[in-house]
């Protein structure tokens, strides 16, 4: 099903062409004066320069073609206004036909992409042996939303958590474990048997071991040196340390999967930096053979600066003077692996925006070396910081980094308190509902902001049932469910799609406004994915929820005596519910049945 803007533009193109003007001037956009019209075409302004005519004369000629004898099937009104704008209002009959098509269409009329792409989405980026904290929130939920959008549109989306599992932190844990439990067989050089299948620590112990080891390394130089040596032995394949590392991975990944699941976030791949290790040697040799990598003060670097750069882009450091690999080395080797396994048409990296320079360097090396084709989009979706009300990065009251589990619990408690203010449900149901609504408050509060911007995390505002919040969107869906439930209780029959309920042309302003908002659905979804902008879906469903609530307050839906009109209302609100539920699903949010 074509986007409604495309259908309007097709009509304008024919009118411009019939008047002797190029079709490219027929672009239709939303009106910036909704009090005057619904859509507008400003092409006559640009055409005036090309054809040396007055804009109003061109606009008037086009409008005359549009409003010839017998009216127009798409436009109820087309008016040329000074200095040369074309103001447009849609026909009610055309609009109702369009929304009926949405209700009957696959995926609500969303068209499949002409050429489905394989898209690699790198998001999550958690470090093993450490609990998820608030700093991991944005990567997880923004990346999950991008993945869901692309998959729904028809692309093959591959989400990779890309764990930090191969650096100095491993050596620190190994040496701290040695100090605490020297009797373990991993530290007995004479031991030749099988290593235990059970880890010598729990997740709680592991999460305490790493910070203790990290703090010790800052004060004890000898311990830090031992950790470096242990890391090197691990990376070279020393069996006892590999066995410890496998325990660390097993315990950590199980816990990470549980915590990501609490966010309704899932990954297709649970790869880490360690998976890139086998590719590093050949990749570095390839960079040397191609004359791209050269020694600089003992280190190996690749120049990536270009003449068109407006700021300095330093060389990309590939290998340190002591032979150690770096994040750039691992990230490049990961791209080599991904190209070999998946041949992605597009890459999307969802990472803290402060890593922008690093990824600019990595992407340039990847293309310069031919690891990735020059025309393959490599998108860095850098996100801003989640701040407290003081404008500084979000912390606990004690000043530490808050665990994600604790943040989720705080949001759930705040929502529970709001639900219990009404006392319309039992405590048990309120607790269950608060988890669903709390997650919506948390995710919507984040995703409704443009990814690259910092934002203030405000529990009170995010959990409000009014305004541009997740609970408000869910409350709107629940309100529609309640109306449909009462309709069924009163003997009405309606399927989940309400295809048997023909939506009539609107007879009121709020009814038409709701239909107009619904008609933007497929355009919003396509643009949101193309621009990697989940906040545009949030903006859309907030406007759609407002449009529905205006219609609801203006219309006696269930007491309407005209059965055909009542059926139309039921069909319209069912479609509204389906669009809202589809969109929140793309954000990783679900709606309860009651609130």
């Amino acid at each position: 099903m074509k986007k409604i803007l495309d259908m309007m533009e097709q009509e304008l193109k024919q009118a411009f062409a019939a008047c002797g003007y190029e079709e490219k001037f027929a672009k239709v956009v939303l009106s910036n004066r909704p009090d005057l019209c619904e859509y507008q075409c400003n092409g006559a302004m640009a055409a005036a320069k090309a054809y040396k005519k007055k804009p109003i004369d061109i606009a008037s000629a086009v409008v005359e073609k549009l409003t010839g004898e017998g009216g127009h099937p798409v436009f109820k009104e087309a008016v040329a206004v000074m200095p040369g704008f074309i103001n447009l209002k849609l026909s009610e009959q055309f609009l109702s036909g369009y929304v009926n098509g949405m209700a009957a269409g696959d995926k609500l009329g969303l068209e499949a992409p002409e050429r489905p792409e394989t898209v690699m989405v790198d998001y999550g980026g958690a470090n093993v042996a450490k609990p998820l904290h608030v700093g991991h929130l944005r990567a997880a939920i923004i990346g999950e939303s991008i993945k869901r959008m692309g998959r729904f549109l028809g692309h093959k989306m591959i989400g990779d958590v890309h764990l930090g599992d191969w650096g100095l932190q491993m050596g620190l844990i190994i040496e701290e474990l040695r100090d605490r439990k020297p009797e373990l067989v991993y530290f007995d050089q004479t031991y030749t048997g099988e290593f235990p299948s059970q880890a010598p620590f729990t997740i709680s112990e592991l999460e305490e071991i790493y910070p203790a080891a990290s703090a010790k390394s800052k004060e004890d130089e000898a311990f830090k040196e031992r950790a470096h040596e242990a890391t090197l032995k691990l990376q070279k394949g020393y069996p006892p340390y590999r066995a410890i590392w496998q325990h660390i991975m097993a315990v950590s990944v199980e816990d990470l999967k549980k915590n990501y699941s609490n966010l309704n976030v899932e990954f297709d791949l649970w790869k880490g930096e360690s998976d890139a290790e086998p590719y590093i040697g050949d990749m570095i040799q390839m960079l040397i053979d191609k004359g791209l990598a050269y020694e600089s003060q003992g280190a190996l670097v690749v120049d990536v600066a270009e003449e068109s750069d407006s700021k300095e882009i330093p060389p990309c450091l590939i290998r340190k003077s002591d032979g150690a690999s770096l994040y750039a080395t691992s990230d490049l080797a990961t791209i080599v692996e991904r190209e070999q396994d998946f041949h992605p048409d597009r890459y999307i990296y969802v990472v803290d925006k402060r890593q922008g320079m690093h990824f600019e360097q990595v992407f340039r090396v990847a293309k310069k070396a031919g690891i990735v084709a020059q025309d393959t989009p490599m998108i860095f979706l850098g996100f801003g910081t989640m701040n407290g009300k003081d404008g500084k990065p979000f912390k606990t009251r004690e000043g530490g980094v808050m665990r994600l589990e604790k943040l989720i619990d705080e949001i759930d408690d705040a929502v529970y308190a709001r639900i219990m203010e009404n006392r319309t449900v039992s405590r048990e149901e309120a607790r269950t509902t608060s988890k669903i609504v709390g997650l919506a408050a948390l995710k919507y509060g984040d995703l409704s902001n443009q990814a690259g911007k910092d934002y203030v995390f405000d529990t009170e505002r995010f959990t409000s049932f009014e305004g541009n919040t997740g609970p408000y969107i869910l409350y709107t869906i629940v309100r529609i469910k309640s109306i449909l439930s009462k309709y069924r209780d009163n003997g009405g029959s309606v399927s989940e799609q309400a295809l048997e309920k023909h939506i009539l042309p609107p007879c009121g302003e709020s009814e038409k406004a709701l239909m107009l908002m619904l008609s933007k659905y497929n355009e919003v979804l396509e643009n949101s994915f193309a621009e990697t902008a989940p906040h545009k879906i949030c903006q859309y469903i907030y406007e759609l929820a407002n449009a529905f609530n205006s219609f609801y307050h203006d219309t006696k839906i269930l007491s309407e005596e005209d059965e055909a009109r009542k059926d139309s209302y039921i069909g319209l609100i069912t479609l509204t519910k389906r669009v809202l539920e589809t969109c929140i699903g793309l954000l990783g949010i679900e709606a309860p049945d009651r609130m």
Side-chain angles (χ1 to χ4, degrees), residues 119-412:
V119 184
M120 177 63 66
V121 189
D122 185 314
Y123 67 109
N127 290 310
V128 301
K130 299 181 188 178
L132 289 180
H133 56 73
V134 294
H136 295 112
L137 177 69
R138 303 210 71 190
I141 64 176
I142 294 170
E144 179 71 14
S145 180
I146 298 296
K147 184 192 71 179
R148 288 178 179 229
M149 281 192 280
R151 191 166 286 166
F152 186 73
L153 285 167
H155 299 292
K156 180 182 179 182
M157 307 296 291
I158 304 166
D160 187 359
V161 67
H162 196 66
L163 297 168
D165 66 348
W166 203 236
L168 178 61
Q169 74 202 64
M170 294 301 162
L172 289 168
I173 293 168
I174 289 169
E175 288 306 309
E176 179 67 15
L177 195 61
R178 180 197 298 278
D179 288 352
R180 295 184 180 204
K181 300 181 180 182
E183 74 281 0
L184 293 174
V185 295
Y186 312 97
F187 308 118
D188 181 355
Q189 294 186 355
T190 65
Y191 183 78
T192 57
E194 291 286 322
F195 292 110
S197 59
Q198 285 293 108
F201 42 70
T202 64
I203 185 63
S204 298
E205 290 172 324
L206 186 59
E207 289 177 354
E208 189 273 324
I209 285 171
Y210 174 71
S214 180
K216 186 189 292 186
S217 70
K218 292 170 184 173
E219 299 175 356
D220 187 339
E221 195 60 37
F223 178 80
K224 185 176 182 180
E225 185 56 36
R226 281 166 49 199
H228 275 291
E229 291 173 5
T231 302
L232 191 59
K233 288 179 77 171
L234 167 68
Q235 294 180 349
K236 287 186 174 180
Y238 181 54
Y241 291 179
R242 281 292 175 101
I244 295 174
W245 175 78
Q246 285 167 354
H247 288 316
I248 295 170
M249 291 298 294
V251 170
S252 288
V253 169
E254 181 183 0
D255 187 65
L256 285 170
K257 284 184 176 180
K258 180 192 74 175
N259 282 290
Y260 275 123
S261 178
N262 289 339
L263 279 175
N264 209 2
V265 170
E266 296 177 348
F267 297 94
D268 303 292
L269 302 176
W270 283 84
K271 298 254 185 182
E273 292 166 352
S274 59
D275 291 286
E277 184 72 14
Y279 299 86
I280 288 176
D282 289 344
M283 181 200 71
I284 289 177
Q285 191 58 51
M286 178 268 291
L287 293 173
I288 294 170
D289 291 344
K290 289 191 173 184
L292 297 174
Y294 65 93
E295 279 201 17
S296 174
Q297 298 178 349
L300 200 65
V301 302
V302 175
D303 287 330
V304 292
E306 297 173 358
E307 288 185 9
S308 58
D309 291 336
S310 58
K311 62 181 179 182
E312 183 183 358
I313 309 289
C316 184
L317 188 58
I318 301 298
R319 188 175 63 201
K320 292 169 70 174
S321 56
D322 62 1
S325 297
L326 300 104
Y327 283 124
T329 326
S330 172
D331 282 334
L332 281 166
T334 298
I335 294 171
V336 171
E337 181 186 17
R338 288 168 175 171
E339 282 291 316
Q340 178 179 295
D341 293 348
F342 302 107
H343 309 293
D345 299 297
R346 182 184 301 261
Y347 288 85
I348 303 172
Y349 286 74
V350 185
V351 191
D352 189 310
K353 66 181 180 182
R354 290 169 291 190
Q355 298 294 315
M357 178 61 76
H358 164 77
F359 281 99
E360 181 65 32
Q361 291 173 309
V362 168
F363 294 167
R364 289 190 182 192
V365 174
K367 293 197 171 184
K368 199 170 183 178
I371 298 170
V372 172
Q374 286 291 334
D375 60 352
T376 299
M378 300 191 81
I379 299 162
F380 174 72
L381 181 56
F383 55 79
T385 308
M386 186 177 95
N387 296 325
K389 290 183 179 180
D390 59 359
K392 297 177 182 178
F394 195 86
K395 301 282 187 182
T396 63
R397 290 185 181 88
E398 296 75 33
V401 178
M402 183 180 283
R403 290 182 67 140
L404 202 46
E405 287 175 295
K406 189 172 189 305
L407 181 68
I408 292 172
D409 287 344
E410 286 195 4
I411 285 280
D412 289 352

Side-chain angles (χ1 to χ4, degrees), residues 395-439:
K395 301 282 187 182
T396 63
R397 290 185 181 88
E398 296 75 33
V401 178
M402 183 180 283
R403 290 182 67 140
L404 202 46
E405 287 175 295
K406 189 172 189 305
L407 181 68
I408 292 172
D409 287 344
E410 286 195 4
I411 285 280
D412 289 352
D413 288 344
V415 171
Y416 174 77
R418 286 186 184 272
I419 292 174
M420 292 307 292
E421 285 174 8
N422 301 326
R423 302 290 288 179
T424 58
V425 296
S426 68
R427 290 182 182 275
E428 292 76 16
E429 185 178 350
R431 271 295 170 199
T432 302
T433 301
S434 70
K435 290 185 182 298
I436 299 171
V437 180
L439 186 59

